[in-house]
Amino acid sequence: MAGVTLHTRSPLPGAIAARFREEFGGEAPRKFFAPGRINLVGAHLDYNGGDVLPMAVDRGIYVAARLRDDGRIRLVSLDQEGGIDLRTADIGTRARRAWGWAAYPLGIWREFRREIETDKGFEAVYAGDVPMASGMSSSAAIEVATALALDALHDAGLERERLARFAHTAENEFVGVRCGIMDQYASALGLPGHVLWLHCAGPRWEHVPFDPARCEVLVMDTRKPRALADTRFNERVAECAAAHAVLRDRVRDLPHLAAYSEADLEACRDVLDEVLYLRARHVVTEMKRIANGAAALRAGDYRGLGAALDASHRSTATDYAVSCPELDVITDAARACDEVFGARLTGAGFGGCAIALIEPGSSGQVTEHVGRVFHERFGVEPEFDLLHVGDGPGELES
Ligand code: GLA
């Protein structure tokens, strides 16, 4: 990959370097960063061959890494329990549950090993400032940060899209989550000041400017754990595949569910199970919402973009059934503020975070109102964070 050097004021590069010295000694490691993401519109469209509009943010995962000659992999995290020390020969083809977060870097190592001749192991220290398991794709950021590191340390010069593919395959095959390509592409292809308009069929993409002087992104963490999110996520993937099979059989043969029209869907309504009908309706109508949202963003119309977020949230709640009372209440409370352009859950849903697009400088008023409403209803203080469009992934200056 063409080397991008990042400058950051985060204390985390210093912290991982210090821990690296303690843990492994020797020469100073190289350090890399890959961003987390929020998705503006296009919920659950990536694995249905639709479009998505993710933003790589200014938070993510930092890694300090170095190759090893003894065929071992040793991984430590500043945030998570359970380091790893194993032989590359023992990695196998599927992650073990006991490996926890370390399954992601191990999956990347495995993809790398399939691509280039190497008998080296590696050692690494990770730290992040994107909350784990909250819907902001910390797992894709761990994967992409590891892929950047292995690419640079082997001097392999792979394209960023290639690294995104590694990350996606690692997550699907090695970790076993049947996610689409959005998170890994959003992290690997992030560019300063832009969001990614990713057409997952293809894939093709373009970068669309996002103006931080006109709109800020407030992340609202419900602190509701995303219980069974992987299982329920895989269930939605299976439901969409089943709906697609009926449409293909009864209406016409298109490669992805997102490619069908509402008229196609109505044409086979009587043979579609009600749940499958609702899932498919979300997918085909979300394509319109993302087209509207992307057009609004292009025109600098952040209220128009916000309206697409609101409509997307409603459909994910009613038709796709991935919301929950906490996410509904927190987004409704945000929408009640004049300074909010729109709000929706982010990531897979089932708990975790929502986002609100807000007028710059208004986060104080908005968090005050939303925090009060949410606390009255659930007795829990949500957490808030103001995010910015980031600089994308890269190596950190040494
Ligand atoms: C998760 C998955 C993504 C995407 C979103 C829903 O974040 O990892 O691939 O499907 O959910 O839009």
Side-chain angles (χ1 to χ4, degrees), residues 23-39:
E23 201 72 45
F24 306 116
E27 268 176 41
R30 288 169 73 179
K31 298 183 295 278
F32 304 84
F33 170 80
R37 63 99 192 90
I38 50 108
N39 184 24

Side-chain angles (χ1 to χ4, degrees), residues 94-355:
R94 282 304 288 263
R96 293 193 210 136
R97 194 170 276 279
W99 290 341
W101 66 272
Y104 301 112
L106 294 176
I108 294 295
W109 183 88
R110 181 168 172 267
E111 287 310 304
F112 233 83
R113 183 70 187 77
R114 298 214 278 201
E115 176 78 19
I116 63 167
E117 271 305 303
T118 175
D119 54 3
K120 304 232 186 263
F122 71 107
E123 54 202 6
V125 177
Y126 291 81
D129 52 10
V130 58
M132 296 290 287
S134 60
M136 287 175 57
S137 249
S138 53
S139 54
I142 297 176
E143 291 158 357
V144 172
T146 309
L148 283 175
L150 291 180
D151 178 64
L153 295 171
H154 285 97
D155 211 5
L158 299 175
E159 294 289 331
R160 281 194 191 182
E161 188 196 4
R162 198 55 183 269
L163 303 182
R165 287 245 149 241
F166 281 178
H168 181 247
T169 311
E171 182 117 10
N172 272 209
E173 292 178 8
F174 189 73
V175 180
V177 177
R178 295 162 69 189
C179 62
I181 63 173
M182 172 172 72
D183 304 345
Q184 294 78 16
Y185 272 66
S187 182
L189 301 177
L191 274 191
H194 287 76
V195 302
L196 184 72
W197 187 3
L198 178 62
H199 311 282
C200 301
R204 294 176 292 114
W205 61 87
E206 53 204 286
H207 288 94
V208 184
F210 185 97
D211 184 356
R214 312 254 326 268
C215 180
E216 290 182 337
V217 181
L218 181 68
V219 173
M220 309 182 290
D221 188 347
T222 62
R223 297 171 56 200
K224 161 114 191 271
R226 298 189 313 158
L228 290 179
D230 289 358
T231 318
R232 291 160 76 197
F233 182 87
N234 286 346
E235 191 180 284
R236 291 293 173 280
V237 177
E239 288 165 350
C240 288
H244 185 197
V246 174
L247 278 153
R248 210 162 36 203
D249 197 38
R250 294 301 182 107
V251 185
R252 52 190 170 135
D253 190 3
L254 296 178
H256 305 288
L257 183 56
Y260 288 88
S261 66
E262 285 173 78
D264 291 334
L265 190 57
E266 293 311 320
C268 65
R269 177 154 196 183
D270 52 336
V271 293
L272 260 181
D273 165 274
E274 180 65 9
V275 167
L276 299 190
Y277 169 77
L278 292 175
R279 304 300 185 251
R281 185 168 72 177
H282 166 74
V283 171
V284 301
T285 57
E286 186 78 350
M287 285 298 275
K288 280 200 192 145
R289 290 182 284 271
I290 185 163
N292 294 340
L297 179 60
R298 274 247 169 82
D301 170 12
Y302 290 91
R303 289 236 167 244
L305 175 61
L309 267 75
D310 291 344
S312 172
H313 184 88
R314 278 195 294 278
S315 177
T316 44
T318 55
D319 286 3
Y320 218 66
V322 295
S323 190
C324 58
E326 289 81 354
L327 286 167
D328 290 342
V329 167
I330 213 161
T331 50
D332 277 343
R335 276 179 218 117
C337 304
D338 291 341
E339 305 83 355
V340 171
F341 302 139
R344 66 176 284 267
L345 59 82
T346 189
F350 310 111
C353 294
I355 53 168

Side-chain angles (χ1 to χ4, degrees), residues 4-87:
V4 175
T5 305
L6 300 174
H7 309 274
T8 173
R9 280 196 230 131
S10 165
L12 291 178
I16 54 176
R19 179 70 183 272
F20 193 96
R21 240 187 341 267
E22 249 170 69
E23 201 72 45
F24 306 116
E27 268 176 41
R30 288 169 73 179
K31 298 183 295 278
F32 304 84
F33 170 80
R37 63 99 192 90
I38 50 108
N39 184 24
L40 294 173
V41 205
H44 290 265
L45 283 191
D46 55 353
Y47 55 86
N48 285 305
D51 293 359
V52 291
L53 200 61
M55 171 194 285
V57 296
D58 56 346
R59 307 290 174 79
I61 299 289
Y62 294 82
V63 59
R66 189 168 63 197
L67 296 177
R68 288 176 72 101
D69 292 326
D70 62 356
R72 292 199 85 81
I73 298 186
R74 294 185 60 195
L75 308 175
V76 173
S77 160
L78 299 191
D79 316 305
Q80 302 284 313
E81 299 284 313
I84 280 284
D85 181 355
L86 46 65
R87 292 185 311 151

